[in-house]
Amino acid sequence: MRRMSPRVRQWLPWLIALLAVVARVLPTPRTIDDAFITFRYARNLLEGLGFVYNAGERVLGTTTPLYTLLMAALSFITGSDNFPWLALWVNALADAATCLLLVALGYALTGRRAVGLGTALLWAIAPMSVTFAIGGMETSVFIFLLVLTSYLYVIGATRLAALTGALVVLTRPDGLLLVGLLMVDLVARGLRRRRLPWGEAGLFTLTLLPWALFATLYYGSPVPQSIAAKLAVYRLPAEAALVRLMQHYGT
């Protein structure tokens, strides 16, 4: 690193971000799993059928309302209904932005730029990241928001972190695994300083409130039916479920 010219060091994060985009665009879309559900919700919304999977059936079957709305908005703006390609570009750019954030986060945590650069490079070519990006899932946007929230929290921008943390939950409800820990830490620090984080709590709540109200009025509940379905289908012994949680959380 030290032997590199200042200009090369300056451009390294952007080159890694470009690598992330190329690694995802070159394979072309290979749509998988729940991405088809997301695309159908977005298409029906654009066609005036409502935020539904089947016309006339108000069932919340997607766990990623923010990503679904993003797909619908991009389709409306671009005039394209090629959702697999729209999703691929969104995911590629989200992963590239995550690389840039990892460089900044690594430096903020350790004071060493090489730590962030190494982490960003690994993320740019991580096989599972590429797989989900080209598959059309919301994973890339979800992880971008997770890293953004973490970075904002680390640098002390807790109110912005509360805002992006709410967007994390709107992208995937299991984002509470990270956001919840940040909340606990923020409250603990607030108690030590005798100043509770009411501002952060208000921003977090107000960001989630519009969707919670809409989903309750429109579907009867803000909890997706797909969560209940997965709880019924993916049944594991308690010990195995705990091990699986630790594995995923560690990853």
Side-chain angles (χ1 to χ4, degrees), residues 16-32:
I16 293 173
L18 178 61
L19 174 63
V21 173
V22 172
R24 287 151 181 77
V25 173
L26 277 181
T28 69
R30 301 182 187 183
T31 310
I32 58 171

Side-chain angles (χ1 to χ4, degrees), residues 88-206:
L88 177 56
W89 276 109
V90 166
N91 292 339
L93 293 174
D95 284 333
T98 298
C99 289
L100 297 176
L101 281 171
L102 287 171
V103 174
L105 181 60
Y107 183 78
L109 289 171
T110 68
R112 298 178 60 190
R113 201 159 179 261
V115 173
L117 287 170
T119 307
L121 179 59
L122 290 173
W123 178 250
I125 57 175
M128 288 304 294
S129 172
V130 174
T131 297
F132 281 105
I134 65 178
M137 297 286 285
E138 71 281 355
T139 310
S140 296
V141 173
F142 179 58
I143 291 176
F144 163 71
L145 289 170
L146 284 171
V147 177
L148 176 59
T149 302
S150 302
Y151 174 70
L152 291 171
Y153 191 81
V154 165
I155 65 172
T158 54
R159 293 198 173 185
L160 284 176
L163 175 62
T164 58
L167 297 181
V168 165
V169 177
L170 288 173
T171 305
R172 282 184 67 95
D174 51 348
L176 282 170
L177 286 171
L178 176 69
V179 175
L181 288 177
L182 296 181
M183 289 177 177
V184 170
D185 182 68
L186 186 62
V187 170
R189 286 203 275 170
L191 289 173
R192 288 196 296 269
R193 298 171 183 171
R194 296 183 180 180
R195 186 182 68 84
L196 291 177
W198 295 114
E200 289 83 355
L203 275 172
F204 183 79
T205 303
L206 286 174

Side-chain angles (χ1 to χ4, degrees), residues 191-233:
L191 289 173
R192 288 196 296 269
R193 298 171 183 171
R194 296 183 180 180
R195 186 182 68 84
L196 291 177
W198 295 114
E200 289 83 355
L203 275 172
F204 183 79
T205 303
L206 286 174
T207 305
L208 289 177
L209 191 59
W211 171 255
L213 289 175
F214 167 79
T216 301
L217 295 172
Y218 195 77
Y219 303 108
S221 170
V223 180
Q225 292 294 322
S226 50
I227 291 181
K230 289 176 180 178
L231 285 174
V233 173

